[in-house]
Structure formats: C-alpha cells, structure tokens
Amino acid sequence: MKPVKVGLLGLGTVGGGTLNVLVRNAAEIARRAGREILVTHAAAREYRAEGLEGLDKVEVCDDAFAVVDNPDIDIVVELIGGYSPARELVLRAIENGKHVVTANKALIALHGNEIFEAAQKKGVTVAFEAAVAGGIPIIKALREGLAANHIEWIAGIINGTGNFILTEMKDKGRDFADVLAEAQALGYAEADPTFDVEGIDAAHKLTILASLAFGIPLQFDKCYTEGISRIQPQDVTYAEQFGYRIKHLGITRRTERGIELRVHPTLIPERRLIANVDGVMNAVLVKGDAVGPTLYYGAGAGSLPTASAVVADIIDVTRTLTTDPENRVPHLAFQPGELSDVPVCPMDDVVTAYYLRMTAVDRPGVVAAVAGILSEAGISIEAMQQKQPAEGEVEVPLVMLTHLVRERQMNVAIEKIEALDSVAGEVTRIRVERLK
Ligand code: HSE
C-alpha cells in the first residue's frame, strides 16, 4: 500500500516531538497502521533544526496554507495552537478533503462544533486526542472504552503547568513566578501563561471532556473558570491540617439542575489517589454507572508525551482511511444528530462544600457572629479552627470547613461576613470535593 503523507503545521515543542516519534518508531508504527506514515511537508516560521530527526526528508516552508492546499498530503497535523489562523487552516484542510489531527484544545473548545459539522459534511475525520491531558488517552477512553456507561462525573487535574506550580509551592516553598518561568522553559506552559494559571487552558479541556461524556455541544462560554494565582501558602498548610490537598480541578457533573462545568482550586481528601498527582502529571477521574470510578494518569504536557497522543491519532486516522465515513467513531462520542440540549447549570446553582478563611479580631462574640450568619444562610459548619496570629498581629486567622451548600447561599453569607466590623478584608473561599 502507498505510504500515507502527512503535512505538519508547526515544528515547535509538539511538532518537533511528533516528527521525532514518527521517524524513531517508523517501522513499528507501520506495522500498527498497516502502511508507512511519512512526514513529507512541514510549515514553520521559526524552528530549531537541531534535534529534529529525519528533517532532511521533509520539505519545510513558512506558508501553512501551502501545505494545507498541497494535493499530495493526506493528513494535516495542526500544531500551531491558538484560535487563528488555526481555525482557517483546519477548515481549509477539511474543505480540501483532508483528514486533520490537532492538539489544539482552544480551537476545539471554541470552534469544535463548526469544525466537526464541516468534517461530517466532507466525510473526513478531525482527531484531537492530544488536546486533553497530553499523553493520556482520555478521549479514546471516554469515546470508546467507556461507551457502555452513563457517565456521572469527571474530575481532573488537566493543566500540567498549574499542577507543577502548586506542587513546587507546597513541597519546596518556591515562589509562584519562579516556578512558572521554569514551566515555560520546559515547554509546558501555553504561549500566554495566564491561560495556565487562570484556568482557561483547563476550561478548554474540561469543555471537551464534558461533551464527550454527556453528549452535549461544546460550550466553553458556559464554563466557570477560576485560577490558582490567589492561593496563599497558608491555605495549603491549613488544608493539610484538615487532611486535604489543594488541587486545581476541572469538574463536570450530571445533576438534576443540568451539567456542572467548572474549573477552580479545590480541597480534596489527601487519601484520594488523585490528591497525590504531582508535578506536570495529569490525572482524570471518571465515574461511570457500570464501571464505577476509573483513573487515568500520565504526563499532561511536554514534547514527547503530547507527540504520543498526536501520533496515535495519525495511526487511527490512517487505519480508517478506507472505512465508510458514516461508520467511524463520532467526533463527540455520540452520533451528531443525537447531541442533547441539557443545559450547563450556572455556578450559583452548584452545590459543594467549602473551606473558608478570614482574618478576625480576637474578641468574644466574633466566632458567634460568623457562625450566626452561616446558620441563617442554612450553612452547617463541619470543622472550625482559630489559628495563632502572625508575629506582632492582633487579628487571627479563622478557618473552617462547611457541609454542602448551594453557591448562591454561600455568596450571600460571605457578603455578610465581609461586612462585619470584626472581620478584616475578604473571605477566602475554596470549594471542597470529597470525590466519593
Ligand atoms: N499548557 C498545557 C499544560 C500544555 O500545562 O497542561 C498541555 O495542554
């Protein structure tokens, strides 16, 4: 059989890794795919040739549209990232009848509905395993391995950079900015690292997971997003004293009120396996009604782990080149005409437990006033501790864990607590999930 010809868009961290894996493992990949897979063309404005294997056999230009329009190319692999021109390139590749593989979570989360519809019409595949959790085959698992299940919820550490920062802060007391700079140097961080630390990257990925799990259209604009930049070292310490770790989680859950879709720092019990996922590693916990909880763990970012997922997609697409387009695994796991319109529920309606920290004047009646406000809002306290004041300070940190409460009620209570004369500044709130 003729080799399959691949056009690579981008020769950066992931593009370079993809080329290297395809060249290094070429013989074994051909045995799996049933034919040879060759990168014949690539487009990159700037790249470092050093360390790129087999580059001499690749025609490199700086015009990505020329690669997309090249009639010899069977599969376009988009590894440029960002919204534009990635969207235009992918749509043009589809228009040209080419299959597409992409690692671009931002593109899929925002424009996936449009892209899959176009691909469906043309009978081509757009594969995106590398878009979520780097090397972990979580999309394959959700779309195929767990297809028998009614998925109940997913909770994941799906941003390697954020997890790396939280881990280094906790274990080594390192400075936030310093760890972020290291993550950038290692090629983990997004081009705009605020996407990592403010939770936007995780929200892109969670949006994709929710669609695959529940058969709903991609709705990135409905995802609640809160980053890790406001986590204080004392919160990490106090959480540990309560038996919890703070992780930046993406959580999506099927409820009677709709689908919860939220990314935020979260206290989770330290005995859960996922609480011990450190560094750049990612982990996704999926609860299906038949299988129960399942956990997927691996490197969530980096050149070769992400290339592992990209190349798996290229092999998958190669295997299906001769199959009837109607009988391929659907892009969003459910048949395109079978997507559900169950709504994403607003954050105000989400029910969780909370960790609260406030700075209070150390005098009689303060704790009673705070407890009174919580009780009035129907919020039950599970544990409360008054900590030692900092050196030379008269005000004391007051930390507590609550039972489950609707976010709307908690907002009202926090507003009232912040208005107390005896409480200084803002109340820190971190949601708590027991992940049972
Ligand atoms: N910036 C992303 C992360 C890369 O840190 O997880 C992988 O999507």
Side-chain angles (χ1 to χ4, degrees):
M1 229 189 266
K2 276 198 324 188
V4 167
K5 293 188 178 164
V6 170
L8 269 188
L9 310 183
L11 278 174
T13 304
V14 182
T18 299
L19 180 64
N20 286 350
V21 171
L22 280 170
V23 170
R24 185 182 306 175
N25 296 343
E28 197 143 339
I29 287 170
R31 283 173 56 216
R32 291 184 191 273
R35 55 206 281 198
E36 217 182 331
I37 297 175
L38 298 177
V39 177
T40 55
H41 294 75
R45 291 245 169 87
E46 283 171 15
Y47 63 97
R48 288 186 56 197
E50 192 192 332
L52 295 183
E53 297 173 38
L55 194 62
D56 52 322
K57 299 192 184 67
V58 181
E59 200 177 309
V60 183
C61 67
D62 63 3
D63 180 4
F65 284 95
V67 174
V68 163
D69 288 338
N70 186 324
D72 290 340
I73 305 282
D74 303 298
I75 304 175
V76 169
V77 180
E78 185 277 306
L79 301 172
I80 295 174
Y83 305 120
S84 184
R87 173 176 165 272
E88 292 76 13
L89 286 164
V90 166
L91 288 173
R92 182 116 135 224
I94 293 169
E95 190 52 38
N96 290 340
K98 298 183 194 307
H99 300 273
V100 175
V101 172
T102 178
N104 192 334
K105 51 264 162 149
L107 177 74
I108 298 298
L110 265 84
H111 302 297
N113 298 323
E114 175 194 20
I115 287 170
F116 298 143
E117 196 184 334
Q120 183 76 14
K121 282 195 190 129
K122 276 294 203 178
V124 297
T125 300
V126 177
F128 52 97
E129 181 64 68
V132 182
I136 307 174
I138 185 62
I139 290 177
K140 190 92 168 167
L142 274 174
R143 209 155 42 182
E144 300 179 47
L146 299 177
N149 288 265
H150 175 84
I151 305 292
E152 295 173 7
W153 54 264
I154 297 177
I157 296 171
I158 46 180
N159 181 268
T161 302
N163 203 43
F164 181 61
I165 293 172
L166 284 178
T167 305
E168 292 288 303
M169 280 173 71
K170 175 173 83 66
D171 291 347
K172 300 181 189 156
R174 286 180 65 191
D175 178 61
F176 189 100
D178 179 37
V179 190
L180 176 59
E182 189 182 341
Q184 287 177 287
L186 290 167
Y188 300 155
E190 294 303 295
D192 176 351
T194 59
F195 274 41
D196 295 296
V197 296
E198 296 307 338
I200 299 158
D201 177 75
H204 288 145
K205 295 166 179 166
L206 187 71
T207 299
I208 297 171
L209 291 179
S211 288
L212 295 165
F214 307 124
I216 55 172
L218 295 149
Q219 296 165 77
F220 171 71
D221 57 328
K222 307 256 172 67
C223 187
Y224 173 82
T225 308
E226 194 181 303
I228 56 170
S229 53
R230 280 185 293 172
I231 298 282
Q232 297 292 323
Q234 69 259 41
D235 294 316
V236 175
T237 308
Y238 298 155
E240 278 189 339
Q241 290 167 0
F242 280 128
Y244 288 82
R245 298 258 163 85
I246 300 179
K247 289 291 178 190
H248 198 204
L249 287 194
I251 299 169
T252 183
R253 191 192 310 267
R254 208 193 280 261
T255 75
E256 284 168 3
R257 303 170 303 281
I259 306 287
E260 292 181 3
L261 193 59
R262 48 194 172 101
V263 171
H264 50 71
T266 315
L267 265 73
I268 48 179
E270 66 189 0
R271 60 187 177 282
R272 299 271 177 271
L273 278 176
I274 196 169
N276 296 287
V277 171
D278 286 334
V280 73
M281 303 310 272
N282 280 195
V284 185
L285 188 50
V286 183
K287 172 77 176 4
D289 69 332
V291 71
T294 57
L295 181 64
Y296 307 83
Y297 169 83
S303 175
L304 294 181
T306 312
S308 164
V310 171
V311 173
D313 270 350
I314 297 173
I315 295 170
D316 239 5
V317 170
T318 302
R319 285 171 175 155
T320 62
L321 283 177
T322 51
T323 60
D324 167 10
E326 295 302 315
N327 288 316
R328 294 186 185 137
V329 179
H331 289 112
L332 286 178
F334 291 71
Q335 296 299 333
E338 296 292 336
L339 293 189
S340 143
D341 58 5
V342 54
V344 172
C345 71
M347 196 59 197
D348 269 2
D349 280 339
V350 166
V351 175
T352 68
Y354 289 82
Y355 158 96
L356 301 177
R357 175 174 57 81
M358 60 204 74
T359 307
V361 178
D362 191 8
R363 67 167 181 246
V366 174
V367 169
V370 171
I373 290 172
L374 292 172
S375 147
E376 237 173 65
I379 301 167
S380 169
I381 298 169
E382 183 187 298
M384 184 190 278
Q385 286 181 8
Q386 182 176 313
K387 303 289 180 187
Q388 289 297 320
E391 186 89 9
E393 297 284 336
V394 286
E395 289 164 335
V396 291
L398 204 57
V399 289
M400 61 192 75
L401 295 180
T402 75
H403 286 290
L404 291 177
V405 55
R406 198 172 297 268
E407 177 107 354
R408 185 178 294 114
Q409 282 159 262
M410 183 51 91
N411 290 342
V412 171
I414 287 178
E415 208 175 301
K416 288 187 180 163
I417 293 171
E418 286 176 344
L420 289 173
D421 286 345
S422 46
V423 170
E426 290 184 356
V427 174
T428 295
R429 133 233 323 246
I430 308 177
R431 297 166 189 89
V432 181
E433 291 288 337
R434 307 234 151 72
L435 304 179
K436 280 205 179 134

